[in-house]
C-alpha cells in the first residue's frame, strides 16, 4: 500500500526535484577503536534503523511512499551510514535528508542506537499506522473544519510575516546562511516564573517577543510568523521517526495603541497582559486546528514560505548526551550552509539558554539581524519586567 508524503516531507520532495542537494545533513562521528566495540555499534545502528519503517519507504516520482524491506540497513534512498577505519580510529559517516524526519526524530534514533548498543529493548515505531490515520483524518469533517477555521483566521493576512529584508525577497536566490547567537541564560529564572504563573511556553514567549520586535522593525502594529510544533499528541506517536512536525501560524495585534511603549504603569500592565493572553491563545488554537497543514498548502505558501519561524531545538551534543563512549563529531563537507528560510529563531534550552538566528545572508545584512535581535531582547526584557 502506498501513502502520500507527510506535509513537510512533501515540501522537501518538491525542492529535491529541482535541486537534489537541498536539505542534506552530513556529519562524522570519530571513535577510538580501543574505547568502543565497533562491530557491536554497527549492529546497534542496524537494529535501530530496522526499528523505524520510514527508512524503508520508497518514494516514487509522484511523491507516493511505499514500504519496501531490504537487507541493507545502512544505505537507503535518503540516507547512508558508512564505517571507515583510519588507523586506531573509525569514522561513522552519516548522510541523511530532512525528508525522512524532524528534529525529534534525530533524538529518537540516537536513543535507539544507544539502547541497542547496551542490549536494551527498543519501543515500537507506529509510523505505518500513523500514515493510515493521517489519510483517514484527511477525509473527516474535522479536517475540513480545521481548514475553514484557519482560512478564516489567516487567509486574508495583510500584516508582515518577517522583518523587512535589505534585498527584495526571492526564495530562488537564497544562498549562504548567516548565524547569530544570543545568550538568554540570565533571563532563565524569570522565564520559568512567567511560564508557571501565566502558562507561557518558551516557544510562545519568543514568538511573542519576535512579533513585537517585528512590529517596531517594520513600523506597524500587527505581525505574524510560524512556530514549529512536534505534533505528537498520542502516546503511540512519541517514538515515531518521521516528519510529524507542523509549522503553525501565529499572529499578534497591538490592540491598545499604535505603538508598544515599554514603560511602567497600569495601562502598560494591561497591554502586556493582553499580549501574553493573545500569545497563549494563539498557541492553543493553533495546536487545536493543526490537523490541516495550512502554511504548507497553496496558495497560502505564497505568504508563509517567507515567514519567520520560531522553534525549539537541541544541539548535537544534547542529542548524543547518552553515548557511553568518547567521540568527536565534525561535519564532512566544507561547503557553506544553505539558507532554507528567510529567518529562523532557534531556541536551545540546555546548559545555557541560547537563541540562534539563522537567516538568509542573501537578503539580510548582519547589522540588520543584530538590530532585530536587539529588539527581540528589548521586548523579552519588557515582558519579564516586574511592574510592581
Amino acid at each position: 500500500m502506498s501513502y502520500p508524503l507527510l506535509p513537510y516531507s512533501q515540501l522537501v520532495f518538491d525542492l529535491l526535484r529541482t535541486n537534489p542537494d537541498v536539505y542534506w545533513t552530513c556529519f562524522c562521528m570519530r571513535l577510538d577503536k580501543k574505547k568502543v566495540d565497533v562491530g557491536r555499534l554497527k549492529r546497534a545502528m542496524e537494529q535501530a534503523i530496522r526499528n523505524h519503517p520510514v527508512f524503508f519507504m520508497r518514494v516514487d516520482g509522484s511523491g507516493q511512499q511505499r514500504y519496501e524491506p531490504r537487507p541493507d540497513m545502512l544505505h537507503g534512498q535518503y540516507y547512508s551510514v558508512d564505517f571507515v577505519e583510519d588507523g586506531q580510529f573509525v569514522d561513522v559517516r552519516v548522510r541523511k535528508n530532512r525528508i525522512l524526519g524532524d528534529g525529534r526524530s534525530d533524538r529518537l534514533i540516537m536513543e535507539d542506537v544507544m539502547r541497542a548498543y547496551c542490549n536494551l529493548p527498543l519501543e515500537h515505531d507506529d509510523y505505518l499506522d500513523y500514515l493510515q490515520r493521517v489519510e483517514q483524518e484527511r477525509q473527516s469533517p474535522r479536517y475540513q473544519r480545521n481548514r475553514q477555521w484557519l482560512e478564516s483566521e489567516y487567509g486574508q493576512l495583510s500584516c508582515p510575516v518577517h522583518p523587512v529584508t535589505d534585498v527584495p525577497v526571492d526564495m530562488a536566490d537564497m544562498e549562504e546562511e548567516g548565524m547569530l547567537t544570543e545568550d538568554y541564560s540570565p533571563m532563565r529564572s524569570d522565564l520559568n516564573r512567567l511560564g508557571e504563573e501565566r502558562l507561557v511556553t518558551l516557544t510562545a514567549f519568543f514568538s511573542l517577543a519576535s512579533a513585537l520586535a517585528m512590529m517596531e522593525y517594520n513600523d506597524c502594529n500587527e505581525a505574524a510568523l510560524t512556530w514549529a510544533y512536534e505534533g505528537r499528541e498520542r502516546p503511540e506517536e512519541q517514538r515515531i521517526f518521521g516528519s510529524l512536525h507542523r509549522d503553525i501560524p501565529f499572529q499578534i495585534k497591538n490592540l491598545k495603541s499604535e505603538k508598544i511603549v515599554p514603560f511602567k504603569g497600569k495601562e502598560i500592565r494591561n497591554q502586556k497582559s493582553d499580549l501574553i493572553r493573545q500569545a497563549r491563545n494563539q498557541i492553543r488554537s493553533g495546536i487545536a486546528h493543526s490537523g490541516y497543514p495550512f502554511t504548507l498548502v497553496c496558495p497560502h505558501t505564497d505568504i508563509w514560505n517567507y515567514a519567520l519561524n520560531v522553534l525549539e531545538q537541541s544541539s548535537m551534543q544534547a542529542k548524543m548526551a547518552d553515548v557511553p563512549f568518547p567521540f568527536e563529531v565534525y561535519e564532512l563537507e566544507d561547503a557553506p550552509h544553505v539558507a532554507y528560510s528567510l529567518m529562523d529563531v532557534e531556541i536551545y534550552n540546555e546548559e545555557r539558554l541560547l537563541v540562534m538566528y539563522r537567516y538568509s545572508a542573501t537578503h539580510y545584512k548582519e547589522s540588520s539581524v543584530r538590530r532585530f535581535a536587539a529588539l527581540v531582547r528589548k521586548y523579552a526584557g519588557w515582558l519579564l519586567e516586574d511592574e510592581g
Side-chain angles (χ1 to χ4, degrees):
M1 182 174 179
S2 63
Y3 305 91
L5 289 167
L6 294 174
Y8 202 88
S9 293
Q10 181 66 54
L11 179 149
V12 177
F13 176 78
D14 292 339
L15 291 173
L16 286 168
R17 283 174 143 171
T18 56
N19 186 350
D21 296 325
V22 300
Y23 277 109
W24 285 97
T25 300
C26 304
F27 68 93
C28 176
M29 285 180 64
R30 169 153 285 197
L31 309 167
D32 189 331
K33 290 190 287 188
K34 296 179 181 178
K35 299 178 181 179
V36 61
D37 185 330
V38 176
R40 181 176 166 190
L41 178 60
K42 184 176 181 180
R43 291 190 296 274
M45 286 195 169
E46 290 175 337
Q47 182 181 347
I49 290 171
R50 186 185 299 112
N51 190 51
H52 296 285
V54 72
F55 290 104
F56 303 95
M57 304 302 288
R58 168 62 59 175
V59 181
D60 65 23
S62 64
Q64 292 287 309
Q65 56 180 323
R66 178 186 297 273
Y67 183 71
E68 293 184 2
R70 63 176 188 280
D72 185 356
M73 301 293 140
L74 299 184
H75 300 88
Q77 186 178 9
Y78 292 109
Y79 75 95
S80 64
V81 181
D82 293 291
F83 286 72
V84 180
E85 296 197 28
D86 180 15
Q88 75 176 78
F89 298 99
V90 61
D91 289 346
V92 183
R93 299 180 179 180
V94 178
R95 186 171 186 264
K96 64 180 181 63
N97 193 273
R98 175 63 179 79
I99 196 172
L100 293 174
D102 49 25
R104 172 70 173 271
S105 299
D106 292 340
R107 300 197 297 272
L108 292 177
I109 195 67
M110 286 308 306
E111 289 175 11
D112 278 2
V113 170
M114 292 305 109
R115 288 185 66 84
Y117 186 84
C118 297
N119 296 314
L120 297 173
L122 306 184
E123 297 180 60
H124 174 66
D125 183 330
D126 197 38
Y127 183 69
L128 295 176
D129 289 339
Y130 177 78
L131 293 179
Q132 292 183 16
R133 291 197 299 273
V134 168
E135 285 309 292
Q136 292 170 358
E137 175 68 15
R138 284 175 176 163
Q139 308 305 318
S140 70
R142 181 173 60 182
Y143 187 80
Q144 296 305 320
R145 289 196 299 270
N146 288 337
R147 178 184 64 79
Q148 292 167 4
W149 186 89
L150 287 161
E151 289 181 347
S152 67
E153 288 290 312
Y154 305 105
Q156 303 299 322
L157 198 71
S158 59
C159 65
V161 296
H162 58 258
V164 64
T165 57
D166 298 310
V167 173
V169 174
D170 184 349
M171 296 287 277
D173 288 340
M174 284 193 179
E175 296 179 1
E176 188 171 355
E177 177 186 64
M179 289 181 286
L180 172 67
T181 302
E182 297 267 298
D183 192 343
Y184 277 81
S185 302
M187 292 188 184
R188 198 198 300 262
S189 61
D190 288 334
L191 279 165
N192 290 340
R193 173 184 54 80
L194 182 69
E196 293 173 0
E197 293 177 357
R198 305 296 297 272
L199 302 179
V200 177
T201 64
L202 280 177
T203 295
F205 178 85
F206 283 104
S207 295
L208 175 56
S210 297
L212 296 175
M214 202 187 306
M215 290 181 202
E216 180 167 339
Y217 194 96
N218 291 14
D219 192 23
C220 59
N221 64 349
E222 185 177 351
L225 48 85
T226 61
W227 64 278
Y229 173 51
E230 285 191 342
R232 291 168 168 85
E233 293 99 348
R234 302 185 183 190
E236 62 269 25
E237 295 170 359
Q238 300 304 307
R239 302 301 301 181
I240 293 178
F241 191 116
S243 280
L244 277 63
H245 116 279
R246 305 164 188 174
D247 286 338
I248 298 180
F250 178 99
Q251 184 178 10
I252 294 294
K253 302 176 182 180
N254 178 25
L255 302 176
K256 300 295 183 180
S257 63
E258 292 186 359
K259 302 282 185 175
I260 301 291
V261 184
F263 60 82
K264 297 181 180 181
K266 182 178 179 181
E267 181 179 349
I268 297 303
R269 286 198 299 272
N270 292 340
Q271 181 186 41
K272 188 184 300 186
S273 293
D274 173 73
L275 292 167
I276 291 173
R277 189 180 304 110
Q278 282 190 60
R280 189 172 58 234
N281 291 341
Q282 284 287 302
I283 296 290
R284 290 174 176 173
S285 61
I287 292 173
H289 297 90
S290 64
Y292 181 78
F294 178 79
T295 61
L296 299 178
V297 175
C298 290
H300 311 300
T301 50
D302 292 343
I303 292 176
W304 296 102
N305 278 351
Y306 300 94
L308 179 147
N309 187 48
V310 177
L311 64 163
E312 292 192 49
Q313 295 274 54
S314 59
S315 66
M316 179 64 73
Q317 289 75 13
K319 293 172 184 174
M320 306 179 78
D322 296 328
V323 176
F325 43 75
F327 64 91
E328 178 186 356
V329 176
Y330 60 89
E331 295 185 356
L332 285 174
E333 300 174 353
D334 295 328
H337 291 271
V338 176
Y340 296 120
S341 61
L342 279 178
M343 186 179 294
D344 284 344
V345 179
E346 297 183 347
I347 306 163
Y348 293 84
N349 187 19
E350 297 169 0
E351 183 177 351
R352 292 186 297 163
L353 176 58
L354 303 177
V355 174
M356 179 181 290
Y357 297 84
R358 293 185 183 269
Y359 60 94
S360 169
T362 307
H363 298 90
Y364 289 107
K365 300 174 184 176
E366 181 181 347
S367 59
S368 298
V369 177
R370 290 189 179 279
R371 177 188 162 211
F372 180 74
L375 290 173
V376 174
R377 184 177 288 275
K378 179 179 95 169
Y379 286 108
W382 178 66
L383 290 167
L384 292 172
E385 189 176 41
D386 186 359
E387 301 297 339

